[in-house]
Amino acid sequence: MTDLQINCSFCAKPGSAVEKIIAGPGVYICNECVQLCNDVLEIERQKPDGPGTPLPVWEESMTEDQLLELLPRVAAVGAQIEASLQRLITVLRGRKVTWTRIGTALGITRQSAWERFSGEE
């Protein structure tokens, strides 16, 4: 398996562009996004409306060029997620977990799970 560049699952920045990446189960978050989350939570706590008020859709405030610049970063996160899924399924198959159980966990059929992750044709 090739080494993938780890990207933040939220902002899609590569790990080399941030100070720290924190790993979770199949996701990664950079120190900048953690700080942004903390800032948003603090602002939400201070609002008279309180928690639960929907935030604006951030994509609407971006230009077409900004959205196009974001595409390859989001694609890299997609590849990272796919590689994480493949690693987990390889471990499960090594433990003799059936394709039926894997498919059920993913919300897909046994056959779809096998076709997507078995590596066989």
Side-chain angles (χ1 to χ4, degrees):
M1 188 179 313
T2 61
D3 289 333
L4 285 178
Q5 166 70 50
I6 299 297
N7 296 286
C8 177
S9 301
F10 297 85
C11 70
K13 287 181 184 174
S16 59
V18 296
E19 185 178 319
K20 187 76 170 169
I21 294 271
I22 302 166
V27 295
Y28 302 87
I29 188 167
C30 71
N31 60 292
E32 295 174 8
C33 285
V34 169
Q35 185 59 55
L36 179 61
C37 290
N38 287 332
D39 293 346
V40 169
L41 290 172
E42 185 57 35
I43 290 167
E44 287 297 305
R45 276 189 214 101
Q46 295 174 9
K47 277 180 148 179
D49 314 18
T53 306
L55 297 174
V57 178
W58 56 270
E59 297 97 331
E60 291 176 7
S61 65
M62 296 176 76
T63 67
E64 290 173 3
D65 286 340
Q66 289 171 321
L67 289 169
L68 287 167
E69 182 182 312
L70 189 58
L71 282 179
R73 291 178 19 204
V74 172
V77 170
Q80 179 177 289
I81 290 168
E82 192 67 21
S84 293
L85 277 171
Q86 187 64 59
R87 267 192 316 275
L88 290 172
I89 289 167
T90 299
V91 169
L92 288 167
R93 291 296 296 152
R95 294 179 183 181
K96 307 292 186 209
V97 174
T98 66
W99 286 112
T100 300
R101 287 185 68 199
I102 292 168
T104 298
L106 291 171
I108 60 178
T109 66
R110 174 200 62 79
Q111 182 68 27
S112 294
W114 180 85
E115 288 173 359
R116 182 171 170 191
F117 298 106
S118 74
E120 299 177 28
E121 293 282 330

